[in-house]
């Protein structure tokens, strides 16, 4: 029973590099979310998707892009990494009619 | 002012104590209230979920919502060292596309044996 799986778990990037954070869920949830968590700041929503082919911006979308070609996968892309993007990134999913979200264990990203 | 406020702690208590964790909020449209528990280096996991005002009990955990005061609480009875974690409150008005949640910053709890 995998739930929400995020890869990689850790990554160090240099300024200006790009990378994709992977997120997959096996619960057939329509809704998926990307958050970043900075110390003491709670979770900030970056992007979300209500179904395959549909994505929308959250509270802090600048510097990120997403795509949703299948129900299962929701990758997050950083095009030009900046030190301000050093954070822990969480992916979550939710059934359509539920307010509760299920989280992966995060990707810890450092940009130096 | 943040939309959801939560004391960051850390809150340190002895094993067996009753713990009270709280959040205040400013948006009167919030109707759905959740508590998530997050262990170190793990993702948040749903602990309690309530709709509108009132109490909800699940084992050692009780969630309270007072919408008139815009104040929610989580009580933990007979606290255990395994309860040591960060507790995040989350809430939503339920009328936004994607059922988006607004999170508090989290309170770190340490239960000492």
């Amino acid at each position: 029973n995998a739930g929400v799986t995020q890869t990689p778990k850790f990554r160090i990037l240099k300024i200006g590099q790009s990378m994709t954070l992977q997120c997959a869920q096996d619960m057939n949830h329509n809704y998926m979310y990307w958050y970043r968590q900075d110390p003491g700041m709670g979770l900030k929503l970056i992007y979300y998707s209500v179904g395959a082919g549909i994505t929308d911006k959250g509270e802090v979308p600048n510097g990120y892009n997403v795509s949703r070609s299948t129900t299962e996968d929701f990758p997050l892309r950083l095009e030009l990494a900046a030190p301000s993007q050093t954070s822990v990134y969480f992916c979550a999913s939710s059934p359509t009619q539920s307010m509760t979200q299920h989280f992966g264990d995060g990707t810890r990203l450092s940009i130096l | 002012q943040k939309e959801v406020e939560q004391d960051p702690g850390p809150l340190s208590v002895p094993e067996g104590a009753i713990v009270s964790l709280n959040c205040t909020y400013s948006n009167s449209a919030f109707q759905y209230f959740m508590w998530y528990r997050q262990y170190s280096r793990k993702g948040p996991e749903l602990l309690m979920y309530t709709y509108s005002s009132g109490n909800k009990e699940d084992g050692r955990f009780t969630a309270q919502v007072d919408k008139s005061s815009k104040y929610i609480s989580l009580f933990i009875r007979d606290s255990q060292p395994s309860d040591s974690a960060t507790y995040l409150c989350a809430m939503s008005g339920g009328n936004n596309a994607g059922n988006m949640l607004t999170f508090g910053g989290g309170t770190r709890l340490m239960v000492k044996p």
Side-chain angles (χ1 to χ4, degrees), chain B residues 27-82:
Chain B
N27 188 342
S28 57
F30 288 148
Q31 298 185 75
Y32 299 87
F33 303 92
M34 281 141 274
W35 286 95
Y36 282 83
R37 178 175 61 196
Q38 185 177 21
Y39 290 116
S40 179
R41 299 193 172 273
K42 291 290 188 179
E45 57 177 332
L46 182 68
L47 198 57
M48 298 287 284
Y49 168 65
T50 53
Y51 170 71
S52 194
S53 286
N55 294 0
K56 185 173 183 178
E57 188 173 322
D58 184 1
R60 295 184 296 112
F61 299 90
T62 299
Q64 282 187 355
V65 175
D66 182 351
K67 290 185 68 180
S68 63
S69 301
K70 297 190 181 67
Y71 189 87
I72 69 170
S73 301
L74 177 70
F75 297 96
I76 306 174
R77 291 182 297 281
D78 187 25
S79 56
Q80 302 296 308
S82 58

Side-chain angles (χ1 to χ4, degrees), chain A residues 9-61:
Chain A
K9 293 188 186 304
F10 306 95
R11 185 73 183 268
I12 298 175
L13 282 182
K14 294 182 179 179
I15 295 171
Q17 286 185 321
S18 62
M19 79 162 292
T20 300
L21 283 65
Q22 301 291 345
C23 174
Q25 53 95 5
D26 62 0
M27 297 173 282
N28 201 33
H29 289 169
N30 280 327
Y31 292 0
M32 295 188 74
Y33 313 83
W34 273 107
Y35 294 91
R36 58 178 289 170
Q37 186 177 37
D38 301 309
M41 299 301 290
L43 292 157
K44 301 285 188 184
L45 183 66
I46 305 171
Y47 270 96
Y48 69 98
S49 168
V50 298
I54 307 169
T55 62
D56 209 345
K57 296 177 181 179
E59 185 181 357
V60 290

